[in-house]
Every structure is written in C-alpha cells, then in structure tokens.
Amino acid sequence: MAVRVGVLGATGAVGQRLIQLLEPHPEFEIAALTASESSAGKTYREAAKWRVDSPIPDDIADMTVTATDPDDVDDDVDLLFSSLPSSVGAAVEPAFCEEGYVVSSNSSNSRMAEDVPLVIPEVNADHLDLLEVQRDERGWDGALIKNPNCSTITFVPTLAALAEFGLERVHVATLQAVSGAGYDGVSSMEIIDNAVPYIGSEEDKLETESRKLLGEFDGASLTHDSVEVAASCNRIPTIDGHLENVWVEAADELTADDAKAAMREYPSLDLRSSPDQFIYVFDEPDRPQPRMDRTLGDGMAIAAGGHRASTFGLQYNCLAHNTIRGAAGASVLNGELLLENGYL
Ligand code: 2RA
C-alpha cells in the first residue's frame, strides 16, 4: 500500500522536481498539492508554469491545488514534502506537525534547531532519533525532519568519507548553478558570461550545517562536530549542478590515494579517478563548463575526483545535481528513511 504524500509549495522549482521524482516512486502516491492562496482551487496545470525536463504527469495536471493550510489538506495524507520559502515554512510547518502530519522539508527554516534532525541518510541516519526528543519537547503528533542545503549535500558526504582521518579544517569554494536560485531568482540572462561571488545566504549554511551533520547524537542530545569550515560561494552560468572545490586538513596523514580509497567505498559517491576525467565538458576551448554527467545515473550520485596534495592539505572536487540529488531528492531520501524507521 503506497504512502499518501503531499507537496507543500508544489509550483516552485523544487516543488516541480519533487513531483517529477515522486510520481514514479513505488512507495509514495501524490495525493495533495499546495501553493499560494492565489493558486488555491486551480488545477495544477493552471497554477504551475511547468519547467522541469519531462512533461507534467497527466494525473497531476488535473489535481486541484489547495492553499498551504492544514485545514485544506486531506488528513489521510501521511507525509508532506515541503519546499516552501523559509519564512512561510517557519510559520506553517509547525502547524502541520501539530495536526499530526510528518513533514520532510527542504526549507531552510529550523535546520539548526537542536530537536530537528538535519539528515543525509548515508551520513547521519542515526540522528533521526532526535524525533523522539522533538515529540517530547513539542508535544506534536506529527514530526519535522530537514535535509540540508543542496550545496551542503554536495560536499558533506565526501567529508564523512574522510572522517576517520580526523578532520580539522575544511575550506570549500562553490560554483553554483542558476537553478539553485529558483525560477524567480537570478535570471539566466543576467548571469550569462558572468560569475557572481558571495551568494550571501549560502556561506553560513555550508559552515554550520556541515558541523551538525557530522556531529554525534548520544540518544538525548546532539554535539556538533568541532571541524572548522570556511566557505566561499559563487553563482556561475550553468543551469543545473553545483561544483565544489574542497581543501581538507586532517589530524592524521591523508594522501590522495587514501582519500580515493575512502571515497570509492562510500555510499552515493561516484569516484572520478583523475582531474582531467572530472566531468568537465569543454564545449568551447575557452569556456570550461561543469556539466552533470548523465552516466552518474539518475542524478542521485555525487561525483568526487581530482584528488591532489596541496599547500592546505588535500584538495579535491565534488559535484551534485542541486535539485535532483540536492533539494528534492534529499527530501525524498529522508521520506524513505522515515518509512523504513516506522515513522509513517
Ligand atoms: C542555491 N543552495 O543554490 C541554494 C538553493 N536554495 O541558491
């Protein structure tokens, strides 16, 4: 019996990607779509400017969109995937949890709340048990789990693979695709032939979310990891795919071969063995373009490669599809984790 799910914020860039990933999913059945008040009552086809790289599924196109309000969503929906603007999520996600809904959210609000599990399943699935603390403290019948920022998801699994070497300091520079800014964000035309330094909302997320994800949960509270992380984030003129350059300093000796061996074994990482193979597709000799390499499968793998010793420890690169593996896929993976652990 498929779990009945809803998508909060269904017309946005990530909401559309959620629908694309959930519609064929064998364990989830889309039963509710919400958007702003102005879209309530319309069919999804009328409400959404569909821009994902596959047609709207017919059964979705004719669904009636409701307002993002617990009173308007069928109470037989078991799990809600939320990709609301953080200001909206901060207001309505707790209301849904109080009403008994379980929410797997990509929205940035509450990611750092001490009783909200921030989870990448292959990194810290054990943090899910924070939900018991959450229920005790908030008295919710429902539950709230968060996935991290898509640029955080791109590099933290590679750090988790190297944790055995005793991570001390990490520097990360990102080259982030335009789709990360959402359909109403940076316009592709504004950024063509440009690179925009300092995205502003990103740097702090990479520096703080990574330490929570790598932290230790003792069954009652979570201690964030002590690793020092410094991030610099840039927007570049690609449509999809966040590419990140990482420098890691560890307590123990960490060679490029050590890192390759560790990453080769780590779930979700797709190791690219040498810099020149690392997913650069040179469309024009003077304009290197990082592209999502579709051989990574359905975009859920995280590519890692180009490992080399540098003045600042070990340097390597990683790349993830920011809405498939990042925002939307990350929420779906957390929905699967909730299902596996009896929360649905
Ligand atoms: C960005 N990581 O790329 C963000 C997506 N919310 O702008």
Side-chain angles (χ1 to χ4, degrees), residues 33 42-46 56-64:
L33 299 172
K42 294 179 182 174
T43 63
Y44 186 74
R45 188 193 319 275
E46 292 163 341
I56 302 182
D58 287 337
D59 56 334
I60 298 296
D62 298 330
M63 278 182 72
T64 299

Side-chain angles (χ1 to χ4, degrees), residues 175-191:
L175 298 102
Q176 297 180 223
V178 170
S179 59
Y183 289 138
D184 301 327
V186 173
S187 96
S188 312
M189 292 319 293
E190 278 170 13
I191 197 169

Side-chain angles (χ1 to χ4, degrees), residues 106 149-151 176-177 179-182 199 201-202 205 235 242 322:
N106 173 64
N149 196 35
C150 46
S151 46
Q176 297 180 223
S179 59
I199 296 179
S201 58
E202 292 295 287
K205 289 172 185 168
R235 187 76 68 190
H242 287 350
N322 53 300

Side-chain angles (χ1 to χ4, degrees), residues 68 234 243 334 340:
T68 305
N234 305 276
L243 177 65
N334 280 348
E340 283 164 24

Side-chain angles (χ1 to χ4, degrees), residues 122-185:
E122 67 270 29
V123 171
N124 65 325
D126 63 307
H127 291 194
L128 192 66
D129 292 342
L130 261 173
L131 290 180
E132 300 313 312
V133 174
Q134 182 184 102
R135 280 180 164 163
D136 288 347
E137 291 186 354
R138 300 195 192 208
W140 288 344
D141 290 331
L144 177 64
I145 180 173
K146 289 278 175 175
N147 58 268
N149 196 35
C150 46
S151 46
T152 303
I153 292 168
T154 302
F155 85 123
V156 166
T158 66
L159 299 184
L162 302 178
E164 64 184 282
F165 296 95
L167 304 182
E168 291 185 328
R169 286 156 57 92
V170 175
H171 292 74
V172 55
T174 73
L175 298 102
Q176 297 180 223
V178 170
S179 59
Y183 289 138
D184 301 327

